[in-house]
């Protein structure tokens, strides 16, 4: 199998952290987003979304979407469990992962992509050019800030997002907070519990994967 990857993009980082937590190694190929490699016909034929990560299996099956790739590896190697074990923990992990995806990751992506010069004309990934909307960047920053207020309160009562065990929801949050810095959003500032959590999670060996 092969993982199409990019060393600095946030979505592939989710998968790399996940793999590192599982102790798995997968052959990787970097797609040069800087040079538009994700929009070349050869790559679009593999993934019409024009995005990384993309996992290609030996039988030719292709899996896009970082969380779908993570689910594939969870099924392949259930331990250590990162999507939770048993009905309650699985639902709790899913709840926090979705909250983080919708109200933090997507907001951070929109905040960065609608404001940073590197994304001019590319406010959304994919083959169709999309203009930046500065007002959307501003609104998205507010959404991310509000979500982090909630997460700060939530983390006052527990070690990780879904309880006492590290999960894929923590991976999503780490990637979101770190990518926010590209847009000069320092989301841990003034949020002591979120900072405590970020310090602990960033110290895991997987964080540098
Ligand atoms: N929902 C997708 C998002 C994938 C995505 O947006 N990937 C970005 C890198 S983080 C990308 O490939 N961008 C290419 C572009 O900007 O054209 C996932 O989770 O895999």
């Amino acid at each position: 199998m092969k993982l199409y990857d990019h060393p600095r993009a946030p979505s592939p980082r989710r998968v790399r952290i996940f793999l590192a937590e599982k102790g798995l190694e997968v052959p990787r190929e970097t797609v040069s987003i800087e040079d538009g490699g994700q929009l070349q016909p050869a790559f679009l034929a593999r993934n019409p979304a024009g995005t990384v990560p993309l996992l290609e299996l030996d039988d030719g099956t292709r899996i896009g979407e970082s969380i779908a790739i993570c689910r594939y590896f969870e099924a392949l190697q259930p331990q250590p469990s990162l999507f939770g074990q048993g009905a309650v923990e699985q639902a709790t992990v899913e709840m926090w992962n979705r909250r983080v995806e919708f109200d933090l990751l997507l907001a951070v992506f929109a905040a960065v992509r609608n404001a940073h010069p590197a994304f001019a004309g590319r406010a959304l990934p994919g083959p169709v050019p999309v203009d930046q909307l500065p007002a959307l960047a501003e609104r998205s920053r507010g959404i991310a800030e509000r979500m982090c207020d909630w997460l700060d309160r939530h983390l006052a009562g527990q070690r990780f997002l879904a309880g006492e065990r590290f999960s894929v929801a923590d991976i999503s949050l780490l990637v979101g907070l770190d990518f926010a810095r590209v847009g000069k959003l320092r989301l841990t500032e003034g949020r002591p519990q979120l900072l405590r959590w970020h310090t602990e999670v960033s110290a895991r060996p997987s964080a540098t994967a």
Side-chain angles (χ1 to χ4, degrees):
M1 66 174 75
K2 187 195 281 185
L3 181 66
Y4 291 90
D5 187 27
H6 187 278
R8 285 180 308 283
S11 302
R13 184 176 178 222
R14 288 172 91 184
V15 174
R16 288 198 309 276
I17 296 176
F18 192 92
L19 288 170
E21 289 284 340
K22 291 272 184 195
L24 291 171
E25 291 214 15
V26 173
R28 303 198 299 242
E29 181 176 316
T30 296
V31 177
S32 174
I33 294 179
E34 299 82 357
D35 303 326
Q38 79 283 19
L39 303 177
Q40 293 303 308
F43 188 75
L44 284 178
R46 291 191 153 86
N47 183 12
T51 55
V52 286
L54 175 74
L55 180 68
E56 197 167 63
L57 304 184
D58 291 343
D59 70 358
T61 302
R62 294 180 183 119
I63 307 171
E65 293 300 324
S66 44
I67 208 71
I69 296 170
C70 292
R71 279 207 178 273
Y72 171 78
F73 286 115
E74 178 91 351
L76 215 60
Q77 185 186 296
Q79 298 300 332
S81 153
L82 293 169
F83 280 90
Q85 282 181 316
V88 171
E89 196 186 28
Q90 283 182 1
T92 305
V93 169
E94 185 76 16
M95 172 176 71
W96 283 106
N97 194 48
R98 288 180 79 88
R99 284 173 172 170
V100 168
E101 281 190 329
F102 288 126
D103 289 338
L104 184 82
L105 262 185
L106 291 181
V108 165
F109 289 171
V112 172
R113 293 193 73 121
N114 281 283
H116 198 289
F119 294 101
R122 303 210 36 77
L124 288 174
V128 180
V130 178
D131 286 341
Q132 292 179 314
L133 294 176
L136 180 56
E138 200 47 45
R139 190 178 69 177
S140 302
R141 292 169 75 91
I143 292 171
E145 295 276 3
R146 278 198 301 281
M147 183 57 181
C148 286
D149 286 341
W150 183 10
L151 293 172
D152 190 50
R153 289 193 302 273
H154 173 66
L155 285 166
Q158 55 195 61
R159 186 171 171 201
F160 297 112
L161 273 187
E164 294 308 301
R165 278 212 286 171
F166 182 84
S167 77
V168 70
D170 296 293
I171 297 176
S172 302
L173 178 55
L174 176 66
V175 167
L177 294 182
D178 288 348
F179 188 62
R181 299 173 76 92
V182 174
K184 299 194 168 49
L185 263 175
R186 310 222 178 278
L187 293 168
T188 53
E189 258 174 34
R191 298 185 177 101
Q193 293 303 327
L194 195 57
L195 178 62
R196 181 266 307 158
W197 172 93
H198 185 258
T199 305
E200 178 175 351
V201 170
S202 300
R204 296 172 81 89
S206 65
T208 56

